[in-house]
Amino acid sequence: RRLFQNGEQSAEFVYAYFWHPRLPILIYTAYIGNKLRVYGFNAEKSSKFKLIEEENNITGLSLNEKGRTLVWSTNNILHIGEISEDEGTIRVEKKKFFEFGTKEKAVLEVNISPSGRYIAFLYDKDIYLIKLDEENDVEEIVKITNDEYSEYNLCWSPNGRYLAFYK
């Protein structure tokens, strides 16, 4: 997929994207050189801005429905950031992170629930669920699948009570 701006195709290869729920901002990951980075694009101002730059490739990205919490993964590290708004752009602040498992296996396909209280993610073919407390600190981690098959395409129901996935 390619991002278009004013009818012209950008040089970036867009990997994943979604709209901010309240602002005319597209949040997307793009390969720049050989690194996957996260950008924002204000559709009204036709302006791009860097949102997250990590040393390692970003392997998952999710925003809660209120647009206040952004979750992403790099290798075996899960990052939690709070979004602040500033005149047509957004920033990630108060970043928290924790390591999960070993560096040989990546945390993939992170997906934050609509309420922002739960994060589902894939690790070593299984789905894990993290419950966050009010300060976005990890309260509990539960492995919710345990079989020989890989799961993917995690998707929360609008009320956040159910998690669907493909096996």
Side-chain angles (χ1 to χ4, degrees):
R1 291 173 224 137
R2 299 240 182 232
L3 183 67
F4 286 82
Q5 180 176 346
N6 297 328
E8 293 185 21
Q9 186 173 321
S10 77
E12 301 168 341
F13 179 77
V14 176
Y15 176 69
Y17 57 92
F18 46 85
W19 286 100
H20 189 281
R22 295 182 330 280
L23 301 171
I25 293 176
L26 183 71
I27 298 170
Y28 66 97
T29 57
Y31 278 102
I32 305 298
N34 63 349
K35 296 288 185 181
L36 193 59
R37 303 290 184 229
V38 179
Y39 291 92
F41 179 79
N42 185 316
E44 290 178 349
K45 295 183 177 186
S46 194
S47 62
K48 171 181 140 180
F49 53 93
K50 192 181 300 182
L51 195 54
I52 300 169
E53 185 168 358
E54 295 284 351
E55 182 65 29
N56 298 305
N57 276 333
I58 292 170
T59 57
L61 181 69
S62 181
L63 180 71
N64 76 325
E65 74 173 16
K66 296 176 183 172
R68 301 261 185 239
T69 306
L70 187 69
V71 178
W72 67 98
S73 56
T74 56
N75 296 340
N76 69 320
I77 300 174
L78 190 70
H79 306 264
I80 303 168
E82 294 180 20
I83 298 280
S84 65
E85 302 168 18
D86 182 34
E87 298 182 24
T89 65
I90 55 177
R91 290 190 316 270
V92 178
E93 297 178 343
K94 299 179 183 175
K95 189 166 73 166
K96 297 183 179 194
F97 65 92
F98 71 95
E99 290 188 52
F100 188 84
T102 65
K103 291 182 181 181
E104 289 76 37
K105 297 177 182 176
V107 170
L108 302 171
E109 245 191 87
V110 296
N111 200 322
I112 191 165
S113 68
S115 69
R117 292 290 315 273
Y118 297 93
I119 300 169
F121 65 93
L122 299 178
Y123 180 79
D124 194 24
K125 300 189 302 184
D126 288 310
I127 300 173
Y128 288 80
L129 187 66
I130 295 174
K131 182 178 180 183
L132 300 173
D133 64 16
E134 297 297 326
E135 302 297 316
N136 279 343
D137 288 322
V138 175
E139 188 173 295
E140 180 181 17
I141 301 174
V142 178
K143 184 176 183 179
I144 60 174
T145 62
N146 187 21
D147 56 39
E148 62 190 74
Y149 304 104
S150 294
E151 287 84 17
Y152 51 96
N153 289 348
L154 305 177
C155 179
W156 288 98
S157 64
N159 65 5
R161 291 181 60 197
Y162 306 100
L163 180 68
F165 57 91
Y166 189 78
K167 187 177 277 234

